Amino acid sequence: MKRTVQKMALALLCTSLVSFAFAGGKKDKAAKKVVNSFSYEKSGIVTKGKAGSGDTAVISIAATSDMHGRIYPWEYAIDAPDNDAGFALTDTVVQKIKSEYPDTLLIDIGDSMQDNSAELFVDMDTHPMIQALNFLGYDVWVPGNHEFNFGLDFLQRNFKNFEGRVVCSNISYADSGKPYILPYQIFDIDGVKVAVIGSTAPHVSTWEASAPEHFQNLDFTDPIESMKKTVKEIEGQYDILVAAVHISRQGEYDQEGKTGAFQIAQAIPELDVIIAGHEHALYCEKVNDTWVLEPGKYGSHVAFTKFNLKKENGAWKITDISAENIPTKNLASSQAVLDKFKWVDDKAKENANSVVGKVAANFIPEGTDFITGADNVTTMPRAQVEDTALMDLINEVQMYYAKAEISTAALFNFDQTLKAGDFKRKDVAFIYKYDNTLMGTNITGKNLLAYMEWTVGYFQTSQEGDVTITFNHDFRAYNYDMLAGIDYEIDLSKPSGSRIVNAKIKGKPVDPNATYKLAVNNYRFGTLLSNHWVTMNDIYFDSYNEMPLTATCRDLIVKYTQENLKGELKPRCDHNWKIVGLPSTYNDPATIAKIKSGEITIPSSSDGRTPNVKPVRVTK
């Protein structure tokens, strides 16, 4: 069944936002039928511990964020242990905290139920990640943006089955303005009133633009304004005020520097601590005398905050606040968690190791690292600076099923490659990290070129003396796309916005007035939609509608391998694009030798997510 006109109109409401879309997201068929009138009825003060009688108290908060499907310390995409990931490790830290500080509040700050084979369990009444939150006694869960990937029916039944409180202040019903879920929750812990206000990234409607049923009748409002309103509402009712926000430090996209966790600290001085997520970053610092911290990703750390209080004239006063991120790396796993969720691990490993074909030869024989030649990227990812058989395979699959002239795909994992041997489902997950679906859209030549200029904004302009190609630290790698079906050059001697040169389709220059068929995943379609390069009416193919049993790009890679390639993958690269305009000092042998030896280290972004953010200059 095609999407309704009403849903199309709703998606078009998102186009005022600028999308640098996240990857991810499998659509939930049930979500198309749901009438979004969800009512979260839990409310009132939650009492923990005994009634306080002393004049001093110690309250602590332990928090995780961006667990992304990790219960066991295991990465199913490569079928290998991950010694700083999973609830089995965070629980070891949390139990130690609780043994020292019994009055501990436990919070998860979202992006729980996506990635690491979490999609295998979306049809369950309660997802294993929510079962884990319940088993571990979490008091608060703040939904992240990826919680909306699988539709409202999925999300709402997990809301209802979570035994703590789901808290988020900046999601409301579009028709009534009423809160979608609890904006805050107050806990009475041994007589100390602790208020927790939640908030999530306000760009969900942009990232889910290709599936408006995933946010049907919902508004995602400015987090600062919604939190100010909530703080005013609960004034005088708390002794400790905590913000749990699935929001990056500085905001993002069209709200850059306006709605981040640091801006929340500046705008709402009443907050005693802000525990953040979403950025996958690790930091702990004071902003406007408020502690702001984030515990990284996957369970690598637990955010810990401790409050010392003293009662004065019958009222509690905070005398000291301390904060830190406690690492989990190489700790012993919680046996209780391992025993309880062995069935999840067993099913995920069985799925990961099922063979779907054969790889005839290595797809990147030169190594995924462009400078060192290793298959562990420490300098520049080869697939981002030159065309490879790996990216050509993904685009080949997308063009075939979308019956498109052109396709576009991003490198989701810097180390991703295919090695000769069995082709297993874990290899599919390794080369295509997210549960994207495939879309075909009509796009004009003019808008195609505008989109291509946007995506190569990933690079910095090269200067004489540069030895390396440098990436823009403000532009995430998953937004840099490589195209197939079109020949083009990226001239890095030119400023951003004028770098695409010699763009040709079937030997002819791109015609700005012509219309071309473009294959994209559903999240990149959200980018195109929000930048007004396409409209909902331009959609001519949607795997979710046309091929519901094999809708994801992962499924389509398997299907193409088995049906079109007869189970054998052979590396083929057409070298349809290249980087030009590099200085004479590019790849200077003496400097490259120093990089290889480790004498020179190429800088990464502060959060570690973008490598090579400053040029290495020629040395003598």
Side-chain angles (χ1 to χ4, degrees):
M1 181 178 67
K2 297 292 183 182
R3 296 189 178 98
T4 64
V5 173
Q6 181 181 12
K7 290 175 182 175
M8 290 180 182
L10 181 57
L12 288 173
L13 292 177
C14 306
T15 59
S16 61
L17 296 174
V18 178
S19 170
F20 288 52
F22 274 104
K26 178 180 178 182
K27 301 174 187 177
D28 183 357
K29 293 182 73 175
K32 286 195 167 188
K33 301 176 181 178
V34 70
V35 176
N36 188 8
S37 57
F38 176 71
S39 175
Y40 197 85
E41 297 177 354
K42 294 179 181 179
S43 60
I45 294 177
V46 175
T47 300
K48 291 172 63 70
K50 301 177 182 179
S53 57
D55 291 332
T56 61
V58 178
I59 305 295
S60 78
I61 297 173
T64 54
S65 185
D66 297 276
M67 295 299 291
H68 285 287
R70 286 157 173 84
I71 298 177
Y72 267 51
W74 201 266
E75 180 68 41
Y76 298 111
I78 58 175
D79 196 28
D82 190 347
N83 62 3
D84 63 348
F87 281 129
L89 291 178
T90 62
D91 186 50
T92 299
V93 172
V94 170
Q95 292 307 317
K96 185 175 187 300
I97 291 172
K98 286 185 173 182
S99 69
E100 297 179 17
Y101 307 103
D103 292 332
T104 296
L105 204 62
L106 189 54
I107 301 173
D108 185 79
I109 310 178
D111 276 8
S112 309
M113 301 182 289
Q114 178 270 335
D115 193 20
N116 207 39
S117 295
E119 73 281 356
L120 297 176
F121 308 96
V122 295
D123 292 331
M124 294 185 64
D125 187 54
T126 306
H127 194 277
M129 292 297 288
I130 304 308
Q131 293 185 40
L133 293 181
N134 290 337
F135 181 71
L136 297 173
Y138 274 76
D139 300 289
V140 173
W141 172 37
V142 178
N145 55 288
H146 279 293
E147 260 69 70
F148 290 84
N149 287 169
F150 303 99
L152 289 176
D153 180 71
F154 165 81
L155 182 59
Q156 291 170 178
R157 70 175 182 263
N158 282 284
F159 280 173
K160 290 178 179 178
N161 293 335
F162 175 56
E163 294 171 1
R165 296 292 188 268
V166 187
V167 175
C168 191
S169 64
N170 69 321
I171 310 177
S172 60
Y173 283 108
D175 56 3
S176 67
K178 292 181 179 179
Y180 178 51
I181 49 181
L182 298 176
Y184 68 93
Q185 179 61 54
I186 297 176
F187 296 87
D188 185 329
I189 307 176
D190 286 350
V192 178
K193 301 295 194 303
V194 182
V196 180
I197 304 174
S199 193
T200 199
H203 303 87
V204 170
S205 56
T206 299
W207 299 326
E208 297 292 327
S210 69
E213 61 272 15
H214 287 189
F215 54 92
Q216 179 183 333
N217 194 29
L218 295 180
D219 278 341
F220 297 83
T221 57
D222 180 276
I224 290 179
E225 294 308 311
S226 64
M227 294 182 78
K228 281 183 175 179
K229 179 181 178 182
T230 304
V231 170
K232 186 175 181 180
E233 180 182 343
I234 62 175
E235 185 177 2
Q237 300 178 44
Y238 60 82
D239 303 302
I240 298 173
L241 185 59
V242 177
V245 300
H246 191 84
I247 295 171
S248 61
R249 276 173 288 190
Q250 299 292 344
E252 52 197 331
Y253 316 148
D254 56 314
Q255 297 295 318
E256 185 78 29
K258 296 181 181 178
T259 61
F262 284 1
Q263 286 73 45
I264 292 171
Q266 293 164 346
I268 309 176
E270 296 93 332
L271 291 168
D272 296 308
V273 66
I274 298 172
I275 310 171
H278 181 59
E279 195 178 345
H280 293 196
L282 184 68
Y283 58 87
C284 181
E285 55 189 280
K286 276 194 172 182
V287 179
N288 196 25
D289 205 34
T290 298
W291 279 111
V292 186
L293 66 164
E294 181 177 350
K297 63 179 180 178
Y298 305 161
S300 67
H301 293 74
V302 174
F304 173 63
T305 311
K306 181 168 68 75
F307 300 85
N308 293 322
L309 300 98
K310 183 177 182 180
K311 189 174 287 186
E312 295 181 359
N313 300 320
W316 288 107
K317 179 181 178 181
I318 298 172
T319 58
D320 182 66
I321 306 174
S322 59
E324 63 176 313
N325 286 308
I326 302 175
T328 65
K329 189 171 185 177
N330 294 325
L331 294 179
S333 292
S334 163
Q335 193 60 47
V337 174
L338 297 181
D339 291 345
K340 179 72 173 178
F341 295 99
K342 184 177 183 298
W343 61 276
V344 176
D345 182 62
D346 288 344
K347 182 173 181 178
K349 286 178 178 174
E350 180 183 6
N351 178 267
N353 285 286
S354 60
V355 177
V356 297
K358 291 282 185 180
V359 179
N362 293 352
F363 267 59
I364 307 181
E366 308 90 345
T368 58
D369 190 293
F370 183 73
I371 292 179
T372 69
D375 280 331
N376 175 35
V377 175
T378 56
T379 64
M380 294 188 295
R382 184 179 299 278
Q384 288 181 315
V385 297
E386 67 180 31
D387 197 13
T388 63
L390 182 68
M391 300 310 298
D392 279 1
L393 169 65
I394 295 169
N395 278 318
E396 179 181 335
V397 171
Q398 293 186 167
M399 280 194 290
Y400 177 81
Y401 287 108
K403 295 180 174 58
E405 301 163 85
I406 311 162
S407 177
T408 179
L411 186 75
F412 295 142
N413 183 330
F414 295 145
D415 295 330
Q416 69 188 53
T417 186
L418 288 176
K419 297 284 190 178
D422 286 340
F423 185 44
K424 299 179 179 180
R425 286 194 178 272
K426 66 182 182 184
D427 300 314
V428 182
F430 186 51
I431 67 172
Y432 205 102
K433 182 177 182 179
Y434 299 100
D435 294 305
N436 298 124
T437 54
L438 178 63
M439 304 189 75
T441 181
N442 292 309
I443 187 169
T444 66
K446 177 183 177 181
N447 288 341
L448 173 64
L449 292 172
Y451 152 57
M452 292 173 68
E453 289 288 1
W454 167 80
T455 198
V456 299
Y458 178 62
F459 297 102
Q460 295 185 37
T461 302
S462 292
Q463 306 289 336
E464 190 62 32
D466 290 354
V467 176
T468 55
I469 295 170
T470 312
F471 305 146
N472 181 348
H473 70 280
D474 293 324
F475 202 107
R476 294 298 188 198
Y478 46 70
N479 285 318
Y480 167 51
D481 295 334
M482 287 144 278
L483 285 79
I486 177 172
D487 297 310
Y488 63 102
E489 297 175 348
I490 306 167
D491 189 342
L492 294 188
S493 69
K494 298 182 178 182
S496 181
S498 58
R499 292 172 173 165
I500 299 296
V501 295
N502 298 324
K504 297 179 180 180
I505 298 174
K506 297 179 180 178
K508 297 181 180 180
V510 174
D511 182 350
N513 298 313
T515 298
Y516 300 96
K517 293 188 179 301
L518 175 67
V520 295
N521 67 43
N522 60 306
Y523 266 66
R524 184 57 73 239
F525 178 80
T527 307
L528 302 178
L529 185 70
S530 296
N531 283 285
H532 307 282
W533 294 322
V534 299
T535 70
M536 292 294 284
N537 291 329
D538 288 315
I539 298 170
Y540 70 86
F541 172 83
D542 184 342
S543 64
Y544 177 50
N545 290 321
E546 306 293 338
M547 311 170 69
L549 298 180
T550 53
T552 71
C553 293
R554 285 181 181 177
D555 293 334
L556 295 176
I557 291 171
V558 173
K559 181 179 176 69
Y560 189 81
T561 299
Q562 294 178 331
E563 296 180 2
N564 295 67
L565 302 179
K566 307 305 179 186
E568 186 175 23
L569 287 166
K570 296 179 180 179
R572 296 191 299 267
C573 183
D574 60 8
H575 302 286
N576 67 299
W577 65 269
K578 63 181 178 180
I579 293 174
V580 299
L582 297 172
S584 63
T585 49
Y586 172 67
N587 217 23
D588 171 68
T591 309
I592 291 296
K594 291 181 180 180
I595 296 173
K596 288 181 177 180
S597 70
E599 183 179 345
I600 295 176
T601 301
I602 301 179
S604 297
S605 59
S606 59
D607 59 12
R609 296 180 70 179
T610 304
N612 193 42
V613 296
K614 290 184 180 180
V616 173
R617 305 286 289 174
V618 67
T619 60
K620 296 181 179 180

